[in-house]
Each structure stands twice: as structure tokens, then as C-alpha cells.
Amino acid sequence: MNAFTFSAAFITFFSVVGPPKVLLSFAGLAQVHPAGQLRKIALISSAAAVLVGILAGVTAPWLLDLFHISTPALQLAGGLIFFLYAVGLVLGMHLGSDGPHQDAPDLVSGVRELLMPYVVSPLALTAVLIEAAARSGFSWRSTVVGAYVAVIALDLVCVLLLTRVLLHTHHATIELLGRLLGLLLAAVGVDLVLDGLSDLGVPGLDARH
């Protein structure tokens, strides 16, 4: 793998699905899941995220061609979905989940809570598809997939190492940080939408950079 392109892809994925974003989601689960179960959830969800990322990265050109999806359309869709998710965080609404945590949460409910922010993150998958389709050749796609897997592995290590800290984080702190993160992620979603509109040729958007 080319070191420069790998590092650039790694930074991209770190910014959209790295530990700063993922740890907060796990901190919410830590309020109702014991340490052992939280670690199992981390392992299962990380494995699922890796499988989804590999599938999306390797097949990106064919997926986009099969569904006749352009890069701007992908940016718009990913940005809008993530914006809605971020608004839910700001308002204290858990979009994509079954609502309040169950009295006896299990592995399935824990993994389900992580589908949107982690396993099939719209921002992460949008980045994987766009980056993987940016150049032809399996070598580049393997670089993109490798960078994505490296970030997921880093997420997993951080969760496993900080499990005890997450278990003792106060609920009010998690809510406060969650709403702050939601505001920042909403801005990221809007920025991705604007990128898509700019690529479509909407006038006046290039001046924002």
C-alpha cells in the first residue's frame, strides 16, 4: 500500500467513524449493559462493520454502476441521512433504535443500537464508496478498505481499553456530550450535502471553501 494514500484514507475514516464519535455511542450502551456484554457487543459490531466496509469498498464501482448512482447523489443521500441522525442526537431522540433501553438488554439490542452510528454509518459508507470508486484498480480499493479496517480496529481497541471508564460515566455527561456531538455531526452532514450540490454545478457554493 502507498503510505501517503493510506494515511490520507485513514484520516478521512478517522474523522467520520473514529473513536471520538464511536466511544460516545458505547458510553450510552454502558449505562445498561454489563462490562462483559459490552465487550461482546463491541466485538460483534466491529466485525460487522468490517464486513460491511470490505463489501462496500471492494464492490464500490460495480455498486454505483448497478444502481446508476453518481457521486453527488451519494453525497446528498449520505449527508441527509446523517443530518437527520445528528438532529436526533441534539433533540435527545434515538433514531434507528427501538426507543428506550430495555430492562434486560441483550447482545442483539446492543448491536442494533450501533447500526446507524457505527456498523452502517452513512458518513463512513459514503466515504468508503466515494474513495474506493475514485480510482480504478483493486490495489487502490484494497488501500481504502485497509484504512477503514484500521480505524475500526482502533475503535475496538479503545472501547475494550476504556470499558471501565465508560461504565462509570454519568448519564448526564453522556447526554451533554451527545447533544454537542450531534450539533457538530449535523454540520458535517450539511457540508456533505453542500459538496454534493457543488459537484452538481449549483452556483455559488464553491466560494464557501
Side-chain angles (χ1 to χ4, degrees), residues 18 24 37 69 97 110 142 156 161:
L24 190 59
Q37 196 172 77
I69 300 173
S97 69
S142 65
L156 177 59
L161 291 178

Side-chain angles (χ1 to χ4, degrees), residues 1 17 30 32 41 43 117 158 183 187 196 198:
M1 293 183 183
V17 71
V32 292
I41 291 172
L43 289 169
C158 289
L183 177 61
S198 178

Side-chain angles (χ1 to χ4, degrees), residues 41-144:
I41 291 172
L43 289 169
I44 294 172
S45 59
S46 295
V50 166
L51 289 176
V52 171
I54 291 175
L55 180 63
V58 171
T59 63
W62 298 285
L63 282 176
L64 298 184
D65 288 341
L66 177 64
F67 292 98
H68 303 287
I69 300 173
S70 65
T71 297
L74 189 61
Q75 290 174 316
L76 288 171
L80 285 172
I81 293 172
F82 208 76
F83 175 78
L84 292 175
Y85 172 76
V87 169
L89 285 179
V90 174
L91 299 179
M93 301 163 54
H94 299 282
L95 301 180
S97 69
D98 294 332
H101 292 292
Q102 304 170 10
D103 293 333
D106 55 13
L107 287 175
V108 175
S109 66
V111 173
R112 188 183 299 119
E113 289 282 342
L114 295 172
L115 287 179
M116 178 69 76
Y118 187 43
V119 179
V120 286
S121 165
L123 274 184
L125 289 183
T126 297
V128 168
L129 290 170
I130 291 176
E131 290 289 338
R135 305 181 192 178
S136 60
F138 181 77
S139 176
W140 169 245
R141 292 197 296 275
S142 65
T143 298
V144 171

Side-chain angles (χ1 to χ4, degrees), residues 118-192:
Y118 187 43
V119 179
V120 286
S121 165
L123 274 184
L125 289 183
T126 297
V128 168
L129 290 170
I130 291 176
E131 290 289 338
R135 305 181 192 178
S136 60
F138 181 77
S139 176
W140 169 245
R141 292 197 296 275
S142 65
T143 298
V144 171
V145 169
Y148 179 77
V149 171
V151 172
I152 297 299
L154 179 60
D155 290 337
L156 177 59
V157 170
C158 289
V159 172
L160 295 179
L161 291 178
L162 298 175
T163 296
R164 292 297 177 185
V165 176
L166 298 177
L167 289 171
H168 292 89
T169 303
H170 195 276
H171 178 72
T173 302
I174 295 174
E175 283 292 324
L176 176 63
L177 293 176
R179 297 190 183 208
L180 175 60
L181 180 63
L183 177 61
L184 298 176
L185 293 182
V188 174
V190 170
D191 197 56
L192 189 60

